[in-house]
Amino acid sequence: MKALTGYLPAVVALGVGWYELLLARDRRQERAVRLLCLFALFLATSMAVLAPATMDAVDRALPRHSELAHLLGRELEMAALALLPAVVGRLAPRGPWEARQRTHLAVSAAVLTAAPVLFLLSGADLTAGRIVADGRGGYALAGFGLLFAAFSLWCLWGLAARVHRHARTLPPGPLRTGLRLIVAGAATGALWALWGLTGVANVLLHQGQGAGQDPVALLLGTACLLISASGVTAARWAPAASAVRRFGGAVCAGYRALERRCGRRWRRRCRGTRPDGAARAGPCCSGTPELALYAG
């Protein structure tokens, strides 16, 4: 059961892609939807490859080249993250994004090319669930991890900044709620990327890092995908949540009105039944009628 939890982020990512694919016919931005589905496919595959159980299975099946599975998983993650700003660019009106698109594509291509070069130069090896590199190779492996973290943060910032800017211009409603949840998911993803720097520190200090997702990375990655998925599907569940919130508000308002009405009746009854000495003592709600009799 513990081994299966490593595949939870992959299942969530596939769920997001399946949802987008179902709604593809109802949307005008067909290219953006295709990019979202491709993002979900890349991310789900990378999470499945980097699951600890997969890493152990690859190490047993291909002991000489098992480290390439780690490289494949990281490359797929970076390819998925590179699609996020492009998706926002397709959904947003034409304008500044067109000028930045070439820069984004050039940087993404450079990173996706440099990352495997650094990894191969490190001479890393998969041993007992750890990616190990000795000597100068450790610096190349640390550079690979640092490049991955920096590129992830750059892509997530490009997504969050544009979505947040657009959400501020919208009136309250499901769309704005969904966009804010996507921003929250991107912020959680930034924490996941920053946690990857611990792997860089482990490489520099201990000449190696975990080959798969550790429990903290698994938790942050799953939380990022769940929050983002709730934002993507907000158009479905937000109206129902608003109806439940309105119903709860109506129930609370009715309860408060009933409480005020019963309170007024109780105070009138207290004034009509207590002795004159109690009336001079103060309001009935200041204490029990028996104590109010002797307060004067």
Side-chain angles (χ1 to χ4, degrees):
M1 186 64 182
K2 183 179 179 180
L4 294 178
T5 58
Y7 296 98
L8 182 59
V11 173
V12 176
L14 283 177
V16 174
W18 176 74
Y19 177 80
E20 292 294 333
L21 190 61
L22 288 180
L23 298 182
R25 297 180 179 179
D26 300 333
R27 296 188 176 184
R28 298 178 182 178
Q29 302 289 347
E30 296 180 359
R31 189 168 183 179
V33 173
R34 287 198 297 268
L35 289 175
L36 278 174
C37 293
L38 192 61
F39 160 78
L41 178 62
F42 282 172
L43 193 61
T45 306
S46 69
M47 293 292 184
V49 170
L50 292 173
T54 303
M55 288 287 102
D56 293 340
V58 172
D59 192 18
R60 291 192 299 267
L62 300 171
R64 293 186 178 180
H65 305 289
S66 55
E67 70 278 357
L68 296 180
H70 179 80
L71 175 61
L72 175 62
R74 292 303 185 190
E75 283 285 292
L76 287 172
E77 279 183 334
M78 288 189 287
L81 291 170
L83 292 173
L84 290 178
V87 170
V88 178
R90 294 296 176 185
L91 293 174
R94 294 184 179 182
W97 168 249
E98 293 182 352
R100 301 176 184 175
Q101 186 174 12
R102 293 183 179 179
T103 303
H104 175 74
L105 291 176
V107 172
S108 299
V111 170
L112 290 173
T113 303
V117 172
L118 286 172
F119 187 85
L120 295 176
L121 286 176
S122 69
D125 188 24
L126 179 60
T127 304
R130 287 175 57 82
I131 296 291
V132 181
D134 298 327
R136 294 182 179 179
Y139 295 104
L141 185 59
F144 170 78
L146 188 61
L147 182 63
F148 172 79
F151 183 72
S152 301
L153 289 171
W154 183 64
C155 291
L156 290 168
W157 169 255
L159 169 71
R162 291 179 61 84
V163 172
H164 176 67
R165 237 180 351 253
H166 183 53
R168 292 178 60 185
T169 64
L170 296 175
L175 180 57
R176 190 173 74 169
T177 300
L179 292 179
R180 287 182 171 179
L181 285 171
I182 290 174
V183 173
T188 309
L191 294 177
W192 167 78
L194 289 173
W195 179 255
L197 295 177
T198 59
V200 177
N202 287 330
V203 169
L204 294 175
L205 296 176
H206 308 292
Q207 291 75 47
Q209 64 174 353
Q213 299 278 358
D214 60 59
V216 176
L218 180 64
L219 177 62
L220 290 174
T222 305
C224 168
L225 289 172
L226 287 175
I227 296 172
S228 301
S230 64
V232 171
T233 58
R236 294 286 181 178
W237 59 262
S242 299
V244 171
R245 187 168 58 251
R246 289 194 298 269
F247 175 75
V251 170
C252 291
Y255 175 78
R256 286 193 294 267
L258 181 63
E259 187 179 28
R260 288 193 298 268
R261 185 176 179 183
C262 292
R264 287 194 296 268
R265 290 184 175 180
W266 174 254
R267 285 192 293 272
R268 286 197 299 267
R269 184 173 297 179
C270 287
R271 295 190 190 100
T273 57
R274 59 188 179 177
D276 293 338
R280 292 189 299 269
C284 179
C285 58
S286 63
T288 60
E290 290 81 6
L291 293 177
L293 279 170
Y294 302 99

